[in-house]
């Protein structure tokens, strides 16, 4: 067997395929939403931001003036949901979740304070929803908060089958700008012909 000699002495570099690009998305739902929100803000389409997590700093070490290091901190109160803002004159509030489970969405991922918060958003006339990505399928759904909350309260199981999301969720198309076109789904669900 002969050895192949390349002009520069090394084998050609592996090219990155679309599949390789998508395979590392495990923790990228938040990044995809943040990129989409940045596009929406810069294009003057919507003003939506990630909410900061309320943290109480207890102890800070100061080895020198420029190297302060937080060594102890606690969550002050449970955060409500991940994102909020305004779109087409309406308040928007939503939670983003990523599931590695192939057959269902585990309910432990949705916390009681998030349910309570989204119920209040609905009661006050805001738009509330969940963005849920199933990593195994590479698909992201938008589900109205009240539809998912009703199912969570109805079920006696610890998860909701994937098929339920196929039937009750709305697939969010992926692209370049925006990365996740979730406001197109919001338009279709909440702003039907005025």
């Amino acid at each position: 067997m002969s050895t192949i000699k390349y002009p520069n002495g090394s084998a050609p570099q592996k090219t990155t395929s679309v599949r390789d690009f998508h395979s590392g998305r495990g923790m990228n739902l938040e990044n995809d939403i943040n990129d989409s929100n940045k596009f929406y803000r810069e294009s003057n389409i919507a003003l939506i931001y990630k909410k900061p997590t309320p943290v109480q700093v207890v102890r800070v070490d100061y080895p020198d003036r420029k190297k302060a290091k937080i060594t102890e901190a606690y969550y002050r109160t449970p955060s409500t949901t991940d994102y909020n803002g305004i779109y087409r004159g309406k308040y928007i509030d939503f939670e983003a979740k990523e599931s590695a489970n192939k057959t269902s969405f585990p309910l432990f991922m949705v916390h009681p304070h998030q349910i309570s918060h989204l119920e209040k958003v609905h009661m006050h006339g805001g738009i509330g929803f969940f963005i849920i990505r199933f990593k195994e399928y590479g698909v992201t759904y938008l589900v109205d908060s009240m539809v998912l909350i009703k199912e969570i309260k109805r079920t006696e199981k610890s998860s909701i089958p994937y098929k339920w999301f196929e039937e009750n969720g709305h697939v969010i198309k992926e692209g370049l700008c925006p990365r996740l076109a979730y406001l197109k789904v919001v338009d279709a669900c909440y702003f039907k012909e005025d």
Side-chain angles (χ1 to χ4, degrees):
M1 185 184 220
S2 64
T3 306
I4 299 174
K5 302 222 182 207
Y6 294 97
N8 66 358
S10 63
Q13 296 293 316
K14 179 184 170 192
T15 57
T16 303
S17 71
V18 172
R19 183 169 176 82
D20 292 337
F21 173 76
H22 287 296
S23 67
R25 298 191 312 180
M27 294 173 50
N28 287 336
L29 177 59
E30 186 176 303
N31 292 337
D32 288 349
I33 294 171
N34 292 343
D35 289 347
S36 300
N37 287 341
K38 182 178 179 188
F39 170 80
Y40 289 140
R41 286 191 307 271
E42 290 175 352
S43 303
N44 289 321
I45 295 169
L47 192 61
I48 301 168
Y49 289 95
K50 176 144 178 59
K51 294 181 193 175
T53 304
V55 174
Q56 175 71 45
V57 175
V58 177
R59 188 174 315 178
V60 180
D61 284 344
Y62 296 96
D64 69 45
R65 284 192 127 213
K66 294 183 182 180
K67 295 185 180 179
K69 179 179 170 186
I70 297 171
T71 58
E72 190 175 356
Y74 300 98
Y75 294 115
R76 272 190 286 176
T77 56
S79 181
T80 51
T81 51
D82 291 329
Y83 296 90
N84 70 342
I86 191 159
Y87 175 59
R88 293 179 64 178
K90 290 285 264 182
Y91 176 76
I92 286 188
D93 201 302
F94 64 95
E95 178 67 16
K97 300 288 185 188
E98 236 173 335
S99 177
N101 194 319
K102 192 157 116 168
T103 58
S104 63
F105 175 74
L107 295 185
F108 72 83
M109 294 179 76
V110 178
H111 305 287
H113 65 274
Q114 294 170 331
I115 290 173
S116 173
H117 176 75
L118 285 166
E119 286 174 330
K120 288 177 184 171
V121 167
H122 177 75
M123 180 182 77
H124 288 286
I127 295 172
F129 53 89
F130 290 86
I131 292 180
I132 298 176
R133 175 174 285 166
F134 285 88
K135 293 190 284 188
E136 277 292 320
Y137 299 112
V139 64
T140 307
Y141 292 98
L142 185 146
V143 182
D144 178 73
S145 60
M146 298 313 292
V147 172
L148 183 56
I149 289 168
K150 182 178 176 183
E151 183 64 14
I152 289 170
K153 290 180 175 183
R154 185 198 67 74
T155 190
E156 294 179 7
K157 298 183 179 174
S158 61
S159 64
I160 296 173
Y162 176 75
K163 185 161 185 56
W164 184 92
F165 290 89
E166 289 181 309
E167 294 167 356
N168 295 279
H170 305 273
V171 174
I172 299 172
K173 292 195 176 176
E174 296 185 16
L176 191 55
C177 291
R179 179 76 187 95
L180 285 176
Y182 72 89
L183 288 182
K184 285 191 184 280
V185 179
V186 169
D187 284 338
C189 293
Y190 302 100
F191 293 98
K192 296 178 179 150
E193 296 302 315
D194 296 333

